[in-house]
Amino acid sequence: MAQQAYMTETDNGGSGPERRGNRIRRLMNRLTNRLVTGWRGDPRIWRRGLVLTAVAVVVALIMLLHAQIPNAVGNLGSLVETFLPWLGLCVPVLLLLALWRRSATALIAVVLPAVVWLNLFGGLLTDKAATGGDFTVATHNVNADNPDPSDTARDVAASGADVVALEELTTSAVPVYERALESAYRYHSVQGTVGLWSKYPMTGVRAVDIKLGWTRAMRATVATPEGPVAVYVAHLPSVRVKLEAGFTARQRDKSADALGEAIADEKVARVVLLGDLNGTMNDRSLNAVTAQMRSTQGAAGSGFGFSWPASFPMARIDQILVRGIEPESSWTLPETGSDHLPVAARVNLTTSS
């Protein structure tokens, strides 16, 4: 009898999982009625949401015509291009608002930014990494104020890279990095605030003039088992977003042009550029460099590979670019004591790109 009483109470909808399930179903039914059934016979579905429609069209045009946004005022074009992928967040927001407003016009308009974004960045959503490769490189802006340079150096070396580039080196921290890396890398050179550590012999080591008045770029020829590779390390000047001046990047742009000229004049066929370029591959102001090289992340990475700021990465300004070399995989490394994430890539030197 006790068992029968329990079954009768449950069957009549008392409490427990079944009641919660009914509540969820009722909530879903209400939502469906508003978003679907409520549209029937509503003559205003084409007239509502005109503001949302305009916003969707503007977002699509910004992404589609970003190269036409002028840099004359506050480098606005470069600022937009630095964070261009994030405009994709507008799509789900606009979609939800269009559904809530029950606007057929806005729903159709949301397709425009969605298609443009997928055309620009859809390829980055797939994992393009391969398992091959015979040469691994890594680069890291270690931050001049890094509280633990020794651990940072060991973390980067743990990637197994054949060469490691470090930027933002201070005079006092250089000996710490040298001691931490000497067991894994027999050869190294520090030029100004950038340095290169290599498992293979280096020749032709010299500073590269990027029109700053002090040294923040270098090059070396690394004698790999597959032949010589010219490796450049660069830390382009920082950019700032100021209310009164916009996106201030004039010095960075000037340095990027100088770096591009140096790489264009390089005689070694296979070239790798490692460093903090303070700009993304979308930024037109880096064209002097990016137009003649390939991004390992774009060619063989998974996702956007954002590297800065380390606490919440929003842009990939730390780059590995190659010429005459086939990228096989590219990835970010775990956070260190720096405000940048290290990035690494594995390439194939025996296959020309």
Side-chain angles (χ1 to χ4, degrees):
M1 290 297 294
Q3 182 179 9
Q4 183 178 359
Y6 172 77
M7 292 178 63
T8 301
E9 180 180 347
T10 303
D11 288 344
N12 286 334
S15 61
E18 185 171 349
R19 174 176 287 182
R20 287 194 296 270
N22 288 336
R23 289 174 179 171
I24 294 174
R25 282 193 293 272
R26 286 196 298 269
L27 180 62
M28 293 301 297
N29 288 336
R30 290 173 186 170
L31 184 61
T32 301
N33 286 336
R34 176 166 180 84
L35 298 183
V36 179
T37 308
W39 294 52
R40 295 174 182 172
D42 186 350
R44 296 181 298 166
I45 62 173
W46 297 103
R47 298 196 296 270
R48 278 195 299 261
L50 296 182
V51 173
L52 290 175
T53 300
V55 172
V57 172
V58 169
V59 171
L61 289 175
I62 290 174
M63 290 190 289
L64 185 64
L65 304 175
H66 65 87
Q68 309 305 317
I69 300 175
N71 260 344
V73 180
N75 278 317
L76 181 61
S78 288
L79 177 60
V80 170
E81 289 167 338
T82 297
F83 300 103
L84 195 61
W86 290 95
L87 285 178
L89 292 179
C90 295
V91 173
V93 173
L94 289 170
L95 176 61
L96 290 175
L97 291 174
L99 289 171
W100 185 256
R101 288 283 291 142
R102 295 203 299 261
S103 170
T105 305
L107 276 177
I108 294 173
V110 170
V111 174
L112 295 175
V115 170
V116 174
W117 191 91
L118 287 173
N119 182 61
L120 290 173
F121 303 110
L124 295 175
L125 300 179
T126 60
D127 187 352
K128 299 177 289 297
T131 57
D134 47 29
F135 190 59
T136 303
V137 298
T139 181
H140 189 23
N141 180 327
V142 294
N143 188 359
D145 298 322
N146 193 315
D148 196 348
S150 182
D151 274 358
T152 294
R154 283 191 287 268
D155 289 344
V156 178
S159 66
D162 297 299
V163 297
V164 169
L166 301 181
E167 304 88 49
E168 210 166 295
L169 297 171
T170 62
T171 303
S172 59
V174 166
V176 179
Y177 288 110
E178 289 175 333
R179 287 193 297 270
L181 295 171
E182 62 183 355
S183 61
Y185 300 95
R186 183 176 177 182
Y187 309 94
H188 86 278
S189 175
V190 175
Q191 303 285 325
T193 61
V194 298
L196 183 65
W197 278 257
S198 173
K199 294 181 179 179
Y200 306 118
M202 300 191 305
T203 59
V205 179
R206 60 175 174 81
V208 174
D209 182 12
I210 56 173
K211 311 303 180 184
L212 282 175
W214 67 95
T215 301
R216 283 175 50 151
M218 63 174 290
R219 64 85 66 198
T221 300
V222 177
T224 77
E226 287 73 30
V229 176
V231 179
Y232 283 75
V233 184
H235 182 194
L236 297 187
S238 300
V239 297
R240 298 286 186 269
V241 180
K242 300 179 180 179
L243 184 61
E244 72 281 4
F247 192 61
T248 57
R250 183 173 302 174
Q251 186 59 65
R252 184 212 56 183
D253 300 348
K254 180 179 177 182
S255 293
D257 291 342
L259 179 62
E261 290 177 8
I263 294 173
D265 292 337
E266 177 59 56
K267 304 304 181 185
V268 177
R270 294 177 292 191
V271 183
V272 176
L273 170 60
L274 307 169
D276 175 5
L277 302 189
N278 270 307
T280 68
M281 293 298 291
N282 295 315
D283 191 338
R284 77 193 72 170
S285 296
L286 300 184
N287 278 353
V289 175
T290 57
Q292 57 179 317
M293 307 190 80
R294 298 175 69 193
S295 165
T296 58
Q297 182 67 26
S302 175
F304 292 93
F306 294 148
S307 64
W308 176 89
S311 57
F312 188 82
M314 297 183 66
R316 185 180 179 88
I317 62 176
D318 301 277
Q319 305 289 355
I320 299 177
L321 308 181
V322 296
R323 187 177 74 191
I325 295 171
E326 186 65 32
E328 296 291 345
S329 57
S330 188
W331 64 96
T332 57
L333 297 172
E335 187 176 355
T336 69
S338 173
D339 57 340
H340 293 243
L341 294 179
V343 297
R346 188 157 180 82
V347 301
N348 194 330
L349 298 179
T350 57
T351 303
S352 298
S353 61

PDB file of all heavy atoms in Angstrom, residues 28 47 72 74 78 84 110 122 126 135 142 158 160 167 192 209 217 225 227 231 247-248 280-281 312 335:
ATOM      1  N   MET A  28       9.989  26.882 -22.676  1.00  0.00           N
ATOM      2  CA  MET A  28      10.358  26.755 -24.081  1.00  0.00           C
ATOM      3  C   MET A  28       9.159  27.038 -24.981  1.00  0.00           C
ATOM      4  O   MET A  28       9.308  27.641 -26.051  1.00  0.00           O
ATOM      5  CB  MET A  28      10.909  25.351 -24.354  1.00  0.00           C
ATOM      6  CG  MET A  28      12.234  25.056 -23.667  1.00  0.00           C
ATOM      7  SD  MET A  28      13.546  26.207 -24.164  1.00  0.00           S
ATOM      8  CE  MET A  28      13.675  25.831 -25.906  1.00  0.00           C
ATOM      9  N   ARG A  47       8.597  46.079 -41.003  1.00  0.00           N
ATOM     10  CA  ARG A  47       8.816  47.494 -40.703  1.00  0.00           C
ATOM     11  C   ARG A  47       9.578  47.712 -39.393  1.00  0.00           C
ATOM     12  O   ARG A  47      10.184  48.761 -39.210  1.00  0.00           O
ATOM     13  CB  ARG A  47       7.464  48.236 -40.642  1.00  0.00           C
ATOM     14  CG  ARG A  47       6.699  48.220 -41.961  1.00  0.00           C
ATOM     15  CD  ARG A  47       5.596  49.264 -41.954  1.00  0.00           C
ATOM     16  NE  ARG A  47       4.583  48.971 -40.952  1.00  0.00           N
ATOM     17  CZ  ARG A  47       3.493  48.234 -41.180  1.00  0.00           C
ATOM     18  NH1 ARG A  47       3.303  47.707 -42.382  1.00  0.00           N
ATOM     19  NH2 ARG A  47       2.597  48.016 -40.226  1.00  0.00           N
ATOM     20  N   ALA A  72      44.405  58.811 -41.913  1.00  0.00           N
ATOM     21  CA  ALA A  72      44.810  60.216 -41.786  1.00  0.00           C
ATOM     22  C   ALA A  72      44.429  60.805 -40.434  1.00  0.00           C
ATOM     23  O   ALA A  72      45.135  61.655 -39.895  1.00  0.00           O
ATOM     24  CB  ALA A  72      44.182  61.044 -42.910  1.00  0.00           C
ATOM     25  N   GLY A  74      44.068  59.962 -36.687  1.00  0.00           N
ATOM     26  CA  GLY A  74      44.270  59.053 -35.572  1.00  0.00           C
ATOM     27  C   GLY A  74      44.528  57.613 -35.940  1.00  0.00           C
ATOM     28  O   GLY A  74      44.305  56.716 -35.128  1.00  0.00           O
ATOM     29  N   SER A  78      44.034  51.506 -38.946  1.00  0.00           N
ATOM     30  CA  SER A  78      44.870  50.510 -38.264  1.00  0.00           C
ATOM     31  C   SER A  78      44.242  50.052 -36.960  1.00  0.00           C
ATOM     32  O   SER A  78      44.348  48.879 -36.589  1.00  0.00           O
ATOM     33  CB  SER A  78      46.268  51.087 -37.997  1.00  0.00           C
ATOM     34  OG  SER A  78      47.008  51.192 -39.197  1.00  0.00           O
ATOM     35  N   LEU A  84      39.841  43.734 -35.668  1.00  0.00           N
ATOM     36  CA  LEU A  84      38.815  43.395 -36.661  1.00  0.00           C
ATOM     37  C   LEU A  84      38.069  42.093 -36.360  1.00  0.00           C
ATOM     38  O   LEU A  84      36.838  42.039 -36.517  1.00  0.00           O
ATOM     39  CB  LEU A  84      39.450  43.336 -38.053  1.00  0.00           C
ATOM     40  CG  LEU A  84      38.503  43.350 -39.253  1.00  0.00           C
ATOM     41  CD1 LEU A  84      37.674  44.621 -39.279  1.00  0.00           C
ATOM     42  CD2 LEU A  84      39.297  43.208 -40.558  1.00  0.00           C
ATOM     43  N   VAL A 110      21.257  40.621 -40.785  1.00  0.00           N
ATOM     44  CA  VAL A 110      22.312  40.019 -39.970  1.00  0.00           C
ATOM     45  C   VAL A 110      23.135  39.019 -40.778  1.00  0.00           C
ATOM     46  O   VAL A 110      24.303  38.753 -40.474  1.00  0.00           O
ATOM     47  CB  VAL A 110      21.697  39.351 -38.720  1.00  0.00           C
ATOM     48  CG1 VAL A 110      22.725  38.505 -37.981  1.00  0.00           C
ATOM     49  CG2 VAL A 110      21.144  40.411 -37.780  1.00  0.00           C
ATOM     50  N   GLY A 122      36.830  32.781 -41.316  1.00  0.00           N
ATOM     51  CA  GLY A 122      36.344  31.416 -41.165  1.00  0.00           C
ATOM     52  C   GLY A 122      37.447  30.377 -41.251  1.00  0.00           C
ATOM     53  O   GLY A 122      37.420  29.361 -40.555  1.00  0.00           O
ATOM     54  N   THR A 126      39.401  26.456 -38.243  1.00  0.00           N
ATOM     55  CA  THR A 126      39.764  25.055 -38.414  1.00  0.00           C
ATOM     56  C   THR A 126      41.202  24.823 -37.978  1.00  0.00           C
ATOM     57  O   THR A 126      42.032  25.738 -38.001  1.00  0.00           O
ATOM     58  CB  THR A 126      39.609  24.630 -39.880  1.00  0.00           C
ATOM     59  OG1 THR A 126      40.462  25.435 -40.712  1.00  0.00           O
ATOM     60  CG2 THR A 126      38.170  24.809 -40.342  1.00  0.00           C
ATOM     61  N   PHE A 135      62.095  21.904 -38.009  1.00  0.00           N
ATOM     62  CA  PHE A 135      62.733  23.065 -37.385  1.00  0.00           C
ATOM     63  C   PHE A 135      61.666  23.793 -36.569  1.00  0.00           C
ATOM     64  O   PHE A 135      60.618  24.183 -37.109  1.00  0.00           O
ATOM     65  CB  PHE A 135      63.304  23.977 -38.476  1.00  0.00           C
ATOM     66  CG  PHE A 135      64.186  25.090 -37.967  1.00  0.00           C
ATOM     67  CD1 PHE A 135      65.323  24.826 -37.231  1.00  0.00           C
ATOM     68  CD2 PHE A 135      63.875  26.416 -38.254  1.00  0.00           C
ATOM     69  CE1 PHE A 135      66.145  25.860 -36.782  1.00  0.00           C
ATOM     70  CE2 PHE A 135      64.689  27.451 -37.819  1.00  0.00           C
ATOM     71  CZ  PHE A 135      65.829  27.174 -37.081  1.00  0.00           C
ATOM     72  N   VAL A 142      59.400  39.122 -23.244  1.00  0.00           N
ATOM     73  CA  VAL A 142      59.482  38.656 -21.858  1.00  0.00           C
ATOM     74  C   VAL A 142      59.063  39.723 -20.852  1.00  0.00           C
ATOM     75  O   VAL A 142      58.915  39.417 -19.663  1.00  0.00           O
ATOM     76  CB  VAL A 142      60.906  38.169 -21.540  1.00  0.00           C
ATOM     77  CG1 VAL A 142      61.242  36.929 -22.358  1.00  0.00           C
ATOM     78  CG2 VAL A 142      61.931  39.278 -21.772  1.00  0.00           C
ATOM     79  N   ALA A 158      61.183  24.908 -22.818  1.00  0.00           N
ATOM     80  CA  ALA A 158      60.460  23.641 -22.723  1.00  0.00           C
ATOM     81  C   ALA A 158      59.657  23.342 -23.981  1.00  0.00           C
ATOM     82  O   ALA A 158      59.207  22.215 -24.169  1.00  0.00           O
ATOM     83  CB  ALA A 158      59.536  23.657 -21.507  1.00  0.00           C
ATOM     84  N   GLY A 160      60.846  23.038 -26.754  1.00  0.00           N
ATOM     85  CA  GLY A 160      61.695  22.239 -27.626  1.00  0.00           C
ATOM     86  C   GLY A 160      62.152  22.975 -28.860  1.00  0.00           C
ATOM     87  O   GLY A 160      62.640  22.356 -29.824  1.00  0.00           O
ATOM     88  N   GLU A 167      62.416  39.279 -26.657  1.00  0.00           N
ATOM     89  CA  GLU A 167      62.358  40.730 -26.825  1.00  0.00           C
ATOM     90  C   GLU A 167      62.122  41.393 -25.474  1.00  0.00           C
ATOM     91  O   GLU A 167      61.639  40.779 -24.545  1.00  0.00           O
ATOM     92  CB  GLU A 167      61.240  41.145 -27.786  1.00  0.00           C
ATOM     93  CG  GLU A 167      61.317  40.507 -29.156  1.00  0.00           C
ATOM     94  CD  GLU A 167      60.616  39.178 -29.233  1.00  0.00           C
ATOM     95  OE1 GLU A 167      59.458  39.071 -28.789  1.00  0.00           O
ATOM     96  OE2 GLU A 167      61.255  38.204 -29.726  1.00  0.00           O
ATOM     97  N   GLY A 192      71.204  44.910 -28.304  1.00  0.00           N
ATOM     98  CA  GLY A 192      70.297  45.875 -27.702  1.00  0.00           C
ATOM     99  C   GLY A 192      69.312  45.185 -26.780  1.00  0.00           C
ATOM    100  O   GLY A 192      69.702  44.507 -25.824  1.00  0.00           O
ATOM    101  N   ASP A 209      68.945  48.125 -38.391  1.00  0.00           N
ATOM    102  CA  ASP A 209      68.518  49.494 -38.134  1.00  0.00           C
ATOM    103  C   ASP A 209      67.047  49.658 -38.522  1.00  0.00           C
ATOM    104  O   ASP A 209      66.690  49.588 -39.699  1.00  0.00           O
ATOM    105  CB  ASP A 209      69.391  50.470 -38.930  1.00  0.00           C
ATOM    106  CG  ASP A 209      69.020  51.927 -38.665  1.00  0.00           C
ATOM    107  OD1 ASP A 209      68.252  52.178 -37.718  1.00  0.00           O
ATOM    108  OD2 ASP A 209      69.499  52.801 -39.413  1.00  0.00           O
ATOM    109  N   ALA A 217      66.250  45.325 -33.114  1.00  0.00           N
ATOM    110  CA  ALA A 217      66.110  44.300 -34.151  1.00  0.00           C
ATOM    111  C   ALA A 217      67.479  43.751 -34.496  1.00  0.00           C
ATOM    112  O   ALA A 217      68.496  44.464 -34.384  1.00  0.00           O
ATOM    113  CB  ALA A 217      65.424  44.864 -35.394  1.00  0.00           C
ATOM    114  N   PRO A 225      70.850  21.691 -39.969  1.00  0.00           N
ATOM    115  CA  PRO A 225      71.240  20.512 -40.750  1.00  0.00           C
ATOM    116  C   PRO A 225      70.671  20.523 -42.164  1.00  0.00           C
ATOM    117  O   PRO A 225      71.208  19.862 -43.063  1.00  0.00           O
ATOM    118  CB  PRO A 225      70.652  19.347 -39.940  1.00  0.00           C
ATOM    119  CG  PRO A 225      70.569  19.863 -38.544  1.00  0.00           C
ATOM    120  CD  PRO A 225      70.231  21.314 -38.688  1.00  0.00           C
ATOM    121  N   GLY A 227      70.467  23.272 -43.980  1.00  0.00           N
ATOM    122  CA  GLY A 227      71.017  24.411 -44.691  1.00  0.00           C
ATOM    123  C   GLY A 227      70.776  25.715 -43.949  1.00  0.00           C
ATOM    124  O   GLY A 227      70.113  25.751 -42.909  1.00  0.00           O
ATOM    125  N   VAL A 231      67.478  34.324 -39.744  1.00  0.00           N
ATOM    126  CA  VAL A 231      66.503  34.543 -38.676  1.00  0.00           C
ATOM    127  C   VAL A 231      66.581  35.999 -38.228  1.00  0.00           C
ATOM    128  O   VAL A 231      67.646  36.484 -37.829  1.00  0.00           O
ATOM    129  CB  VAL A 231      66.750  33.609 -37.480  1.00  0.00           C
ATOM    130  CG1 VAL A 231      65.730  33.888 -36.371  1.00  0.00           C
ATOM    131  CG2 VAL A 231      66.684  32.148 -37.912  1.00  0.00           C
ATOM    132  N   PHE A 247      44.920  56.478 -32.520  1.00  0.00           N
ATOM    133  CA  PHE A 247      45.842  55.338 -32.509  1.00  0.00           C
ATOM    134  C   PHE A 247      47.214  55.841 -32.953  1.00  0.00           C
ATOM    135  O   PHE A 247      47.483  55.988 -34.133  1.00  0.00           O
ATOM    136  CB  PHE A 247      45.301  54.271 -33.462  1.00  0.00           C
ATOM    137  CG  PHE A 247      45.964  52.927 -33.351  1.00  0.00           C
ATOM    138  CD1 PHE A 247      45.921  52.200 -32.172  1.00  0.00           C
ATOM    139  CD2 PHE A 247      46.590  52.368 -34.453  1.00  0.00           C
ATOM    140  CE1 PHE A 247      46.494  50.950 -32.087  1.00  0.00           C
ATOM    141  CE2 PHE A 247      47.166  51.111 -34.379  1.00  0.00           C
ATOM    142  CZ  PHE A 247      47.115  50.403 -33.192  1.00  0.00           C
ATOM    143  N   THR A 248      48.092  56.124 -31.987  1.00  0.00           N
ATOM    144  CA  THR A 248      49.396  56.710 -32.315  1.00  0.00           C
ATOM    145  C   THR A 248      50.375  55.597 -32.672  1.00  0.00           C
ATOM    146  O   THR A 248      50.784  54.815 -31.823  1.00  0.00           O
ATOM    147  CB  THR A 248      49.940  57.525 -31.133  1.00  0.00           C
ATOM    148  OG1 THR A 248      50.021  56.676 -29.970  1.00  0.00           O
ATOM    149  CG2 THR A 248      49.014  58.688 -30.820  1.00  0.00           C
ATOM    150  N   THR A 280      48.832  43.429 -35.942  1.00  0.00           N
ATOM    151  CA  THR A 280      48.327  42.161 -36.433  1.00  0.00           C
ATOM    152  C   THR A 280      48.568  42.033 -37.936  1.00  0.00           C
ATOM    153  O   THR A 280      48.938  42.995 -38.609  1.00  0.00           O
ATOM    154  CB  THR A 280      46.821  42.035 -36.152  1.00  0.00           C
ATOM    155  OG1 THR A 280      46.124  42.990 -36.960  1.00  0.00           O
ATOM    156  CG2 THR A 280      46.524  42.299 -34.680  1.00  0.00           C
ATOM    157  N   MET A 281      48.293  40.864 -38.465  1.00  0.00           N
ATOM    158  CA  MET A 281      48.456  40.637 -39.893  1.00  0.00           C
ATOM    159  C   MET A 281      47.448  41.433 -40.703  1.00  0.00           C
ATOM    160  O   MET A 281      47.636  41.649 -41.901  1.00  0.00           O
ATOM    161  CB  MET A 281      48.315  39.143 -40.208  1.00  0.00           C
ATOM    162  CG  MET A 281      49.428  38.274 -39.659  1.00  0.00           C
ATOM    163  SD  MET A 281      51.059  38.676 -40.340  1.00  0.00           S
ATOM    164  CE  MET A 281      50.868  38.116 -42.032  1.00  0.00           C
ATOM    165  N   PHE A 312      44.097  38.135 -20.817  1.00  0.00           N
ATOM    166  CA  PHE A 312      42.897  37.987 -21.650  1.00  0.00           C
ATOM    167  C   PHE A 312      43.278  38.358 -23.076  1.00  0.00           C
ATOM    168  O   PHE A 312      43.045  39.469 -23.525  1.00  0.00           O
ATOM    169  CB  PHE A 312      41.759  38.883 -21.151  1.00  0.00           C
ATOM    170  CG  PHE A 312      40.451  38.634 -21.856  1.00  0.00           C
ATOM    171  CD1 PHE A 312      39.632  37.589 -21.469  1.00  0.00           C
ATOM    172  CD2 PHE A 312      40.047  39.431 -22.921  1.00  0.00           C
ATOM    173  CE1 PHE A 312      38.427  37.352 -22.120  1.00  0.00           C
ATOM    174  CE2 PHE A 312      38.846  39.204 -23.574  1.00  0.00           C
ATOM    175  CZ  PHE A 312      38.040  38.154 -23.170  1.00  0.00           C
ATOM    176  N   GLU A 335      51.078  30.793 -20.270  1.00  0.00           N
ATOM    177  CA  GLU A 335      51.418  32.105 -19.721  1.00  0.00           C
ATOM    178  C   GLU A 335      52.654  32.023 -18.833  1.00  0.00           C
ATOM    179  O   GLU A 335      52.855  31.052 -18.101  1.00  0.00           O
ATOM    180  CB  GLU A 335      50.230  32.638 -18.921  1.00  0.00           C
ATOM    181  CG  GLU A 335      50.381  34.053 -18.432  1.00  0.00           C
ATOM    182  CD  GLU A 335      49.136  34.568 -17.739  1.00  0.00           C
ATOM    183  OE1 GLU A 335      48.124  33.835 -17.723  1.00  0.00           O
ATOM    184  OE2 GLU A 335      49.173  35.701 -17.209  1.00  0.00           O
TER     185      GLU A 335
END
